[in-house]
Amino acid sequence: MTSAETYAAHLDAVQEQNARIYGPPAGGDVWGGASARQFRFDLRRELDRNMAVIASYVQADDVVVDVGGGAGRVCLPLALQCKEVLNVEPSPGMGAEFESLAKEAGIANARLVPSNLAEAEASKGDIAFTADVTYFVRDITSFIHQLEAAASRRVMITIWSHPPPNRRGKLFELVYGEEQAVLPGQAQLLPVLWDMGILPSVQVLPESPWWENERPSTRDEAVKMIMEDRVVKPANRGRAQALFETHFDELFAPSDAGFVPQWRPDMRELLITWETGV
C-alpha cells in the first residue's frame, strides 16, 4: 500500500471498530454544545509555551487561515498580533462559540468561514494552520494540497504524539477485550508528506496536554472521572465500573496532589511546518 492508503486504512479501522462496538455514528453537530463550550479560553491570557512557538511564526501583516479552528483557541489569540484570521470551521456549535468569544474580547479582525476547507471560498492567507484535524481526514493527500493552496508562505500542522481519542486505549481494552484501533498520527502523516515531496520541520513542543490535569482526591471520584469518559457506552456502564474498581491500582497511582491516571500515555504536541512556493 502507498503511504496515503496506509493512512486511510487506519481511519477505516477506527470507524469499523467504533461502529461495531458503539453503533452507527451520531448525526448532527457532534462538535456542538458541551464539546464546543469546553474550548472557551481567555483570549488575552499569557500564551503557554506551545502557543508561543506557534505565534513566533506569525508576522504583523499576516492573514492566518485556521482550518477547523473550533472556538478559536489558537486563532483568536493570534488575531491580536496579525492582520486578520479566518476560521474555516464547519461545526455550527464551534462557530457560534468562536463568534461569541471574538465579540466578548472585542476582536474585530477575526472572521468565521462556516465551511470545510474543500468548499471554502476566498479562504487564502499567508499561513494555513490546523490543529488536531488530520487524524480525522481520510483523503489526506487532497487535504494537504488544499492547505498549501490556502497558504502563500507557510503551512503549520499541530498534532499530539498520540491522537487524543486513543489516550483511552488501556481503558478500551479492559472493557471490550481488544486493542483499540489507532487513528493516523505522525507515524502515518510524515510518510505521506515525504511521498508528496514535502520535507517539513518537525518540532516537539514543551507543554503536556492542557486538558489532562485532573487529580481526583478519592477513589470514588477517580472511578467517576473514568465513567464520564466516552470510552464506555451506556449498555456497558455497570460492567465497566466493576472492572475499573477491580483494576483501580493499575489505573491510578496515589500522589500528594491526588490520584494520577496511569492509563494515559505521555503526550507532547508536535508542530509540523514547511514553507510553500519554494
Side-chain angles (χ1 to χ4, degrees), residues 2 4 20 34 58 64 99 101 113 117 147 183 229 236 249 252:
T2 67
R20 174 166 48 82
V58 178
V64 177
E99 294 190 310
L101 281 167
V113 181
L117 183 57
L147 287 174
L183 287 165
D229 198 297
N236 298 133
D249 292 337
F252 290 93

Side-chain angles (χ1 to χ4, degrees), residues 1-10 12 138 191 195:
M1 290 195 296
T2 67
S3 59
E5 289 170 340
T6 298
Y7 194 100
H10 274 262
D12 290 344
R138 189 178 190 280
D195 284 352

